[in-house]
Amino acid sequence: MYFRRPSSTSPRRKAALLAASALLLTGMAACSPGSSGTADASLAALPGATPTELAPYYDQSLKWRECGVPGFQCATLKAPLDYDKPSAGDIDLAVSRKKATGPGKRLGSLLVNPGGPGGSAIGYLQAYAGIGYPAGVRARYDMVAVDPRGVARSEPVTCLGGKQMDTYTQTDMTPDDAREKTEVSAAYEKFASGCETHDATSRRVLPHVSTVEAARDMDLARAALGDEKLTYVGASYGTFLGATYAGLYPERVGRLVLDGAMDPSLPAREMNLQQTAGFETAFTSFAKDCTARADCPLGTGTPARAGQRLKDFFTALDRTPLATGDADGRKLGEALGTTGVIAAMYDEGAWPQLRDALTEAMDKKDGAGLLALSDSYYERDPDGSYANLMFANAAVNCLDQPPAFTSAQEVQQALPDFEKASPVFGAGLAWASLNCASWPVKATGEAHRITAEGAAPIVVVGTTRDPATPYGWAESLASQLSSGRLLTYEGDGHTAYGRGSTCIDKAIDTYLLTGTPPTDGKRCS
């Protein structure tokens, strides 16, 4: 659903925020191994030999150039727009790297992806990974990023203009009557139609931005970089991208870290339901911390009472939006207020900011703080423009799986389950998963298991109170992968690497630098 990158954060916080996933708009969630609703089909590996028609793409050389960010170089990688019809034309993919700094023998290239789908891998590389990953890792690897097709610098999908997006993000996602339900459906229809008609680039690439295609692009990048095997760190949705690569090319797997893992075996509706429960788990953790403080805007008592107070606040916003001082005149209604709270669930480092924002809104009737959190989540700039995050997010996810719901009636029937999973966020997240119902391109993928038989050890990382990729996802993915090694972080927030656990960081650094994975089942705090 969302991906956020506030402009004024520490490197560690930037890392956490850049790794935030964008899953909720498409309905994705978690599951423990053996849960009902999982798919039996497995992703089949591609033939080891390069097809003749793809040889020119595998033989290409990258022409590096300076790209305006000191220490980084950029290049363009060409891929077939349609792998089934390579003669139909190319798509240009943006690549960036920061060469290994030494000392020590160079180990090759380390590709990174922060998630989304829709997050810019190049933005993540240049703002954090290329300068903030451990010095020992950066010394031995060329740090590399490829913006996936349809994302950021790689022929981006665009759906709506800034003013249209402002309207879209303020759509009431807890409709109270038939008129409001119609408005939700109409908002999604307008968004979907815009993705197909906004410009020629969007129309051309929209049918070809699936995760399988992006994973095949990564193999072209591996070859162009001169690496026999892929070394990769993917966070959030980036774990699905990395696992898909492993399933397609198990013999080319080098050292893969999948942090904040997704479970590819779950259909969209089941995933969304259980992700909703993940956000409730994260809110409960926040509420326990907040209500123990004298200045908690949600008062004292149990997390359930705090949740009810927050729901009452959202209801009040629905009736009477708050002033924000926004230059474009936006007020804080229920939709933007809820998004602001959800944004802070990704990183416990944002909890003080959330407490302050809620205090301002609930006590002083000033919605500016929550609006700022919401804007960072949507990647809305002060000038009113939006990055292509939300557009690419829907484009990829609506292609990867059939829609979670196809009608408002289906959402209505599922509401009790969602509200049980999360009394605070359930209704809104149920309606949010209607977004693919009117998608102009039919889904080309479906839920499936990924076993990657024959792959080298793959490290799968799960955080026990992760809101966006709940811990059960990591358990399930590690159990599916024939060589999966589960590494657990007992803590809060989304993803684990680089977020303050010396135990996690040491285990991953050792794996990247020596090839020795952590013991399966290792736990850190």
Side-chain angles (χ1 to χ4, degrees):
M1 157 188 122
Y2 310 114
F3 180 91
R4 57 202 204 291
R5 183 177 55 195
S7 58
S8 57
T9 56
S10 68
R12 178 189 164 199
R13 178 145 168 75
K14 276 186 179 180
L17 297 182
L18 280 163
S21 76
L23 301 173
L24 287 175
L25 278 181
T26 60
M28 295 194 169
C31 181
S32 59
S35 295
S36 62
T38 58
D40 293 326
S42 294
L43 181 65
L46 291 171
T50 300
T52 302
E53 61 270 22
L54 295 182
Y57 296 100
Y58 274 92
D59 293 340
Q60 66 185 300
S61 298
L62 296 174
K63 298 179 180 179
W64 296 102
R65 61 185 184 277
E66 299 302 315
C67 50
V69 181
F72 292 87
Q73 298 174 307
C74 292
T76 299
L77 177 73
K78 288 194 176 294
L81 177 66
D82 184 344
Y83 275 93
D84 291 333
K85 299 178 181 178
S87 61
D90 299 339
I91 185 169
D92 290 339
L93 306 176
V95 187
S96 183
R97 76 173 177 185
K98 188 173 188 291
K99 298 186 72 173
T101 58
K105 181 181 178 182
R106 178 182 173 277
L107 295 175
S109 305
L110 171 57
L111 270 69
V112 296
N113 184 283
S120 172
I122 291 178
Y124 175 71
L125 174 76
Q126 295 178 351
Y128 174 69
I131 56 177
Y133 265 36
V137 173
R138 291 183 287 113
R140 307 286 299 281
Y141 285 102
D142 291 346
M143 301 293 294
V144 180
V146 180
D147 274 349
R149 49 177 62 208
V151 174
R153 299 162 178 84
S154 294
E155 302 200 25
V157 172
T158 306
C159 303
L160 300 175
K163 292 294 185 182
Q164 293 172 313
M165 272 298 289
D166 280 347
T167 300
Y168 177 75
T169 60
Q170 294 177 73
T171 302
D172 185 354
M173 298 306 297
T174 56
D176 301 312
D177 53 36
R179 177 183 61 81
E180 291 186 347
K181 292 173 186 176
T182 299
E183 289 175 353
V184 172
S185 296
Y188 286 137
E189 290 171 3
K190 184 175 182 178
F191 184 98
S193 175
C195 296
E196 188 178 35
T197 62
H198 187 275
D199 56 47
T201 296
S202 299
R203 186 162 50 252
R204 189 176 82 98
V205 305
L206 202 61
H208 300 290
V209 293
S210 70
T211 297
V212 165
E213 289 165 306
R216 298 188 71 171
D217 294 340
M218 285 206 302
D219 200 50
L220 297 182
R222 174 202 58 77
L225 292 164
D227 295 320
E228 291 186 8
K229 296 191 175 183
L230 180 76
T231 300
Y232 173 83
V233 176
S236 193
Y237 163 79
T239 67
F240 181 37
L241 183 58
T244 300
Y245 180 91
L248 295 174
Y249 307 103
E251 76 285 355
R252 298 174 192 171
V253 167
R255 302 168 189 178
L256 263 60
V257 177
L258 308 180
D259 183 14
M262 287 178 57
D263 179 358
S265 72
L266 295 173
R269 187 181 304 191
E270 179 69 13
M271 294 187 79
N272 197 29
L273 177 62
Q274 294 193 34
Q275 189 192 52
T276 297
F279 274 95
E280 186 69 18
T281 296
F283 174 76
T284 297
S285 190
F286 163 74
K288 287 179 179 178
D289 178 82
C290 184
T291 55
R293 301 171 183 270
D295 62 346
C296 178
L298 300 177
T300 59
T302 65
R305 289 185 63 188
Q308 186 59 53
R309 293 187 186 105
L310 184 60
K311 281 189 67 177
D312 292 343
F313 169 64
F314 288 155
T315 300
L317 288 180
D318 192 26
R319 293 194 302 265
T320 309
L322 298 179
T324 63
D326 177 60
D328 294 311
R330 291 175 303 153
K331 292 186 176 183
L332 186 81
E334 182 180 10
L336 293 176
T338 302
T339 301
V341 173
I342 284 176
M345 295 297 100
Y346 282 81
D347 178 18
E348 68 273 23
W351 290 357
Q353 183 181 358
L354 176 59
R355 290 197 304 271
D356 290 345
L358 285 172
T359 298
E360 291 175 2
M362 299 174 78
D363 296 345
K364 303 176 183 179
K365 307 305 179 185
D366 180 357
L370 283 174
L371 181 63
L373 280 167
S374 178
D375 282 352
S376 68
Y377 221 41
Y378 281 121
E379 288 196 349
R380 184 190 191 271
D381 290 332
D383 65 2
S385 64
Y386 288 76
N388 99 303
L389 162 71
M390 301 304 295
F391 313 135
N393 175 262
V396 174
N397 280 322
C398 293
L399 202 58
D400 276 351
Q401 280 209 37
F405 297 110
T406 59
S407 68
Q409 291 76 17
E410 289 183 1
V411 177
Q412 191 67 44
Q413 292 170 1
L415 277 178
D417 290 337
F418 278 78
E419 291 176 324
K420 180 179 180 180
S422 175
V424 179
F425 304 114
L429 299 187
W431 285 101
S433 58
L434 184 62
N435 75 310
C436 291
S438 302
W439 203 248
V441 181
K442 185 178 179 180
T444 57
E446 60 183 3
H448 55 265
R449 296 173 60 82
I450 299 178
T451 59
E453 293 288 344
I458 299 172
V459 176
V460 179
V461 189
T463 297
T464 54
R465 293 185 294 278
D466 190 316
T469 53
Y471 181 64
W473 288 14
E475 290 183 306
S476 182
L477 181 59
S479 71
Q480 292 171 43
L481 293 168
S482 63
S483 60
R485 302 287 183 91
L486 179 62
L487 175 62
T488 298
Y489 173 53
E490 297 177 348
D492 297 292
H494 183 42
T495 73
Y497 186 43
R499 298 191 66 249
S501 170
T502 301
C503 174
I504 290 288
D505 292 353
K506 183 178 179 181
I508 293 176
D509 291 346
T510 298
Y511 171 61
L512 291 175
L513 293 173
T514 70
T516 303
T519 302
D520 187 30
K522 181 178 176 63
R523 303 183 75 89
C524 296
S525 59

